[in-house]
Amino acid sequence: MPISPSSSAQAAREVVAQRLREVRKGAGLTVTDLAGRCGWHHAKTSRIENARTAPTATDIRLWCRACDASDQVDDLIAQSLHAESMYTEWRTQVRNGLKALQDSAVQFFHETQLFRVYSSSLVPGLLQTEGYAAGVLGLSASFRDLPVDDSPEAARARVDRSRVIHEPGHKFVFVVEEAALRYQVCDADAMAAQLGYLLTAGALPQVSLGIIPMAAQQRSQWPRETFHVYDDSLVSVELVSARVKIAQPSEIRLYLKAFEQLRSMAVYGAEAWALIVKAIDALH
C-alpha cells in the first residue's frame, strides 16, 4: 500500500525529533537538563522528541545553543519547516483548476535566476509548446477526475509562464532522458512541433539542453524522478499524489549532486540535435 502524504509528513517530523534527541544525547544532557537550559518544562522536551509537538525555529535555536551545536541550527530549522509543509497534495493544488496552478508560479519564476531541470519522462514545462502542454495537462485532468477540464486554458498559461526563458537575468540548464522525446502524449503533429521547438529553444544562449542517450553506457545515475532546482534554495519533485518541496540544505545538496552526475552523462549540441531529429523521424 502506498504511503499517504500525511503519513510521509509525520515520518519527516519523526526524523527531526530523532535528530534533536541525538543532539541532546551527544551533549550529555538529560531531558530535564535541556529543559532547564532552554527555560521550559521538561514535558515539552519529551513532546518534541516524540514528535508530538513540532518545534518552532526559536525552540530549535535554544535547543542547539543549550547543546553547543549552533552549527546545526540552519539545517534543523529547514528540515523542520520541510516536515510541516513538505507535501502539497494535488487535490488541493488543482481545486481551482489547472490554469490557476500554472498562474500560481509566475512571480516565483521571475524571481529565480538559475533553473536546473531534470526530466525522465516529459519535455520540461519551460520548453513545452501549447499543443504538447495541452496533451500533458489533458491527461492529468482525466486522471484526477477534475470537475472542469480547463487544460486548453492551462496550456496557454503554461506557455505564457515560460516566456521567462526569453527574459534577461535567467539561466536554464535542462537535462532530459532521450526516452522523454519518444513518449507521445499528444498527436503526431503536435509532437513534431514540440520536438522542432526543442531545436530552436535549445540553441538560445541562456539555455543549456542536454539529452541522455538511451544507449548511454556506464551510467553513474539511473533515471530518477523528475525534479526542478530553483537557484540553490528549493527543489520541487512531482509525484503521483503530491508535489514535494524540499528546502533543507543537506537534501538540496544531494539533488544537486545527482543533477551534476546526470548532466555529465548527457550529450549536447550536434549530438543532442541528432537525437531530437531521430525522434522526429520516428513519428513518420
Side-chain angles (χ1 to χ4, degrees):
M1 180 179 295
I3 298 173
S4 71
S6 59
S7 297
S8 298
Q10 178 59 28
R13 295 185 191 104
E14 290 170 359
V15 170
V16 174
Q18 177 64 29
R19 284 192 63 186
L20 289 171
R21 184 184 299 111
E22 290 171 355
V23 168
R24 174 182 62 76
K25 289 184 175 180
L29 300 178
T30 66
V31 169
T32 303
D33 290 338
L34 184 130
R37 292 190 181 190
C38 293
W40 60 54
H41 193 275
H42 64 81
K44 177 175 178 177
T45 303
S46 295
R47 289 196 302 272
I48 290 175
E49 289 193 355
N50 288 288
R52 291 197 296 269
T53 296
T56 65
T58 299
D59 291 339
I60 292 173
R61 290 191 183 94
L62 289 171
W63 192 296
C64 289
R65 187 184 306 160
C67 299
D68 194 25
S70 295
D71 60 320
Q72 298 191 50
V73 167
D74 291 343
D75 199 51
L76 278 164
I77 289 175
Q79 187 174 21
S80 182
L81 291 173
H82 169 54
E84 295 309 304
S85 61
M86 65 180 293
Y87 277 89
T88 303
E89 293 186 69
W90 283 114
R91 64 172 177 268
T92 301
Q93 292 229 344
V94 301
R95 63 187 173 191
N96 294 319
L98 291 170
K99 181 180 182 300
L101 181 61
Q102 307 304 309
D103 293 339
S104 66
V106 171
Q107 186 59 38
F108 178 67
F109 277 24
H110 287 306
E111 294 170 353
T112 301
Q113 294 181 321
L114 176 58
F115 295 77
R116 300 180 185 93
V117 180
Y118 166 74
S119 182
S120 57
S121 56
L122 294 171
V123 171
L126 284 164
L127 296 177
Q128 290 180 8
T129 60
E130 187 173 329
Y132 183 92
V136 171
L137 294 167
L139 288 171
S140 180
S142 175
F143 175 70
R144 301 182 194 288
D145 295 322
L146 299 185
V148 177
D149 179 0
D150 64 344
S151 53
E153 294 82 3
R156 286 192 290 274
R158 174 168 288 187
V159 171
D160 287 342
R161 184 182 69 178
S162 299
R163 288 176 182 166
V164 68
I165 206 169
H166 299 287
E167 296 177 358
H170 306 284
K171 182 179 179 181
F172 305 84
V173 184
F174 299 100
V175 178
V176 181
E177 298 283 350
E178 183 187 356
L181 308 178
R182 303 299 188 106
Y183 298 134
Q184 294 192 33
V185 296
C186 53
D187 63 51
D189 288 341
M191 195 71 197
Q194 171 64 79
L195 294 171
Y197 178 66
L198 286 183
L199 297 173
T200 302
L204 294 171
Q206 65 274 26
V207 172
S208 170
L209 174 60
I211 310 294
I212 301 177
M214 290 186 288
Q217 298 179 353
Q218 298 180 335
R219 293 186 66 119
S220 55
Q221 288 279 335
W222 58 86
R224 298 287 190 173
E225 67 275 12
T226 293
F227 63 89
H228 302 65
V229 185
Y230 302 99
D231 291 324
D232 290 329
S233 58
L234 180 70
V235 174
S236 176
V237 186
E238 295 184 3
L239 306 178
V240 172
S241 62
R243 172 176 291 159
V244 185
K245 294 183 178 180
I246 298 169
Q248 184 184 351
S250 61
E251 291 194 42
I252 291 175
R253 287 193 294 271
L254 196 61
Y255 272 94
L256 288 175
K257 179 180 179 180
F259 185 83
E260 288 305 312
Q261 291 185 358
L262 290 160
R263 189 167 72 90
S264 71
M265 295 186 294
V267 295
Y268 300 84
E271 289 183 86
W273 300 168
L275 293 176
I276 296 171
V277 170
K278 187 177 179 181
I280 294 173
D281 290 342
L283 293 170
H284 305 292

